[in-house]
Amino acid sequence: MIGVGQAAISTALSLGGRFGIISVSDWSVGFHQREMVKRGVERHCAGDRPTGMTPAETESAPDALERMVAVARALKEQDGADVLITACAGMAKHRKALEGQSRMPCHRPCLCSCFNRTRKGLAAPPPPVRILS
């Protein structure tokens, strides 16, 4: 089973040496860190920084993109990230603008999960179950 976080990290590592995560809150940063340690990929994470917004605000706040770009620049300039992962579905609509303003590839975990499933031949639905009587 490939989870969205694992898929995003796998995709990010295929594009760069160190990834940075744009998170929602301090709590989510801690959660991500624990999950990376479990998977043995923490050494590839340049940093994980929160935006300080709620998930809803990441999608609709007037300054959402501006705040995400500030976090992305800190991940790049201070932490050494060369690929970004957005850790909230609400951030998805800002991906292209975030890539342009940060000058780094930016990946959405849900999209990466779909891509990795397709690449591994897992996207097709399972065959129907036949009940023999």
Side-chain angles (χ1 to χ4, degrees), residues 51-130:
T51 60
M53 293 184 280
T54 66
E57 288 171 333
T58 64
E59 185 174 12
S60 61
D63 65 341
L65 178 60
E66 180 182 322
R67 291 168 73 175
M68 290 170 57
V69 168
V71 170
R73 287 185 176 143
L75 286 165
K76 181 178 184 176
E77 296 166 7
Q78 297 171 26
D79 301 334
D82 50 19
V83 178
L84 296 171
I85 296 173
T86 55
C88 178
M91 298 177 188
K93 76 179 219 178
H94 303 293
R95 185 183 65 82
K96 289 226 182 248
L98 188 56
E99 280 185 335
Q101 292 185 39
S102 69
R103 299 184 187 268
M104 288 191 287
C106 179
H107 296 284
R108 298 181 333 217
C110 291
L111 184 61
C112 293
S113 181
C114 293
F115 172 75
N116 280 322
R117 287 176 52 87
T118 302
R119 188 176 63 186
K120 293 180 186 237
L122 301 172
V129 174
R130 293 180 56 191

